[in-house]
Amino acid sequence: MELKEFDALASIPTKEPERQFYFMSKLAHKVAELEKEKGRKLTCYVHTFGCQMNARDSEKLLGILKTVGFEEIDYEDADFVIYNTCTVRDNANQHVYGRLGVLNGLKKKNPDMKIGLCGCMMQEEVVIEKIKKSYRFVNLMFGTHNIYKFAELLCDMYDSDRMVIDIWKDTDQIVEDLPTERKYPFKSGTNIMFGCNNFCSYCIVPYVRGRERSREPKDIIREIERMVQDGVKEVMLLGQNVNSYGKGLENPISFAELLQEVEKIDGLERIRFMTPHPKDLSDDLIEVMKHSKKICRHIHLPMQSGSSRILKEMNRHYTKESYLDLALKIRRELPDVAITTDIIVGFPGETREDVEDTIDVIKKVGFDNAFTFIYSKRTGTPAASMPNQVPEEEVKVNFDAVLKTVQETARARVKLLEGQILPVLVEEINEHNPELLTGRLSNNILVHFKGDTSLIGTIVNVSLDEYEGFYYMGSLQE
Ligand code: 5AD
Ligand code: SF4
């Protein structure tokens, strides 16, 4: 949809996305006025906390900001700053409060500066109360369900002297076709579903992201086709539990079937997905992966714990044995597929014996990589009120033991690739050494090697010379 010249007399559309396009044209008018006043472009800064879902949401925010005339900068001293927040663990929340302090200082120097907050943290009442009370300089707050209304809310913010707050408890609405601004021209995420119905007892996501709802397959395919026309080679299908994709649709379709449809898109070279739940990863999915030329050789399969007793308390609906069976089946059926995982240490009531079970699974599966988290108590979740919260000291010792095992087993597994020549999608100039390029293997391992920047966005063959612990140093093959 094109952005029209703003017409103050036109009636405001009630249908979406037309309504948001109306507000975008209004905003463009406002931004142009402010530019004239200041004699320079208006700048914006979008900062993302948390997961890939949030990263994708931020691309939607930036798409709108750029459409209405803001210039993106990569530091906080901007005319409009928005934090897309995460609340999965408490340290993410603390980080946001810390940075808000810095923003307050910047706003004192530039009183016209506007500050917005959105994302998962905003779905918590205590957070909104705290910001209203102690962070009065914030101008706009909205949550996860109405992010599609960003243009409209931004208009309200510019029209108002007060804090604009719009938080919804849930929604069944999915608005398509709003502008997005991709971080990388050659790869992108796409939401295939929103929300989560699993209610793992430690997790706040179902409370802040609402109930599961899937996008129509035709909308997903159309979006990916457009991205491919625009230069995208790799797409990541995003959902909190991709295995249950398609269940609530009028014409139900499975995740494995969706993958087969995506595979047919000409010009698309790589398909990733995040995140499957071990309780319902189907044999169909394994079968589809076995025959696919495009699905990347990587499954992220969050284990959380290796103890059947703790898994039951976590409401995960699988046991140590069934998780092991599944992981070993994947190893057998798809030997080149990397398996990575998430592990929580310190869940209420966890004993050393439980931790030994976790360590046992890590050794038996030999994960290619694992993200290990210290349990964080999230208000409102069932685990928060469980007795036997584990003392910090004990958690620390167990965490170190788990981490050590993860590092040893990952090293042994990933080192097996040494000497092979494999395709790498070149992503960027190396952060630490500008003479090197950084890219990713199909199995998600990072590779650094010497090469020309013109290779960024292309797939090249690289020999994996040396494994350096979680990444490879390689050399480009002609
Ligand atoms: N404490 C620690 N880790 C958590 N995760 C989710 N909730 C919590 C919590 N309360 C982890 C899980 C999940 C990952 C995204 O975050 O391991 O897979
Ligand atoms: Fe993502 Fe979960 Fe954080 Fe929300 S709370 S941003 S869903 S990691």
Side-chain angles (χ1 to χ4, degrees), residues 311-329:
L311 286 167
K312 192 159 191 329
E313 295 288 312
M314 287 178 162
N315 195 30
R316 291 288 288 175
H317 297 280
Y318 55 86
T319 60
K320 173 183 183 183
E321 290 71 30
S322 65
Y323 183 91
L324 253 179
D325 281 352
L326 174 62
L328 297 179
K329 177 158 63 180

Side-chain angles (χ1 to χ4, degrees), residues 49-51 53-54 85-88 120 205 208-209 240:
F49 296 85
C51 66
M53 289 268 186
N54 263 16
T85 63
C86 172
T87 185
V88 80
C120 294
V205 170
V208 296
R209 288 263 172 188
Q240 302 295 349

Side-chain angles (χ1 to χ4, degrees), residues 88-89 202-203 302 304 342 344 373-376 378:
V88 80
R89 285 170 292 275
Y202 51 81
C203 186
Q304 314 302 1
D342 291 339
I344 298 176
F373 304 111
I374 287 181
Y375 167 74
S376 170
R378 308 313 293 128

Side-chain angles (χ1 to χ4, degrees), residues 1 16-18 21 148 174-179 191 194 214-216 219-220 222-223 226:
M1 209 174 288
E16 299 291 3
E18 289 79 357
F21 277 88
Y148 74 86
I174 297 176
V175 177
E176 302 283 347
D177 295 331
L178 287 167
N191 302 95
F194 302 92
S214 295
R215 281 175 76 198
E216 286 292 339
D219 291 333
I220 298 168
R222 194 184 45 171
E223 187 188 30
R226 282 191 194 151

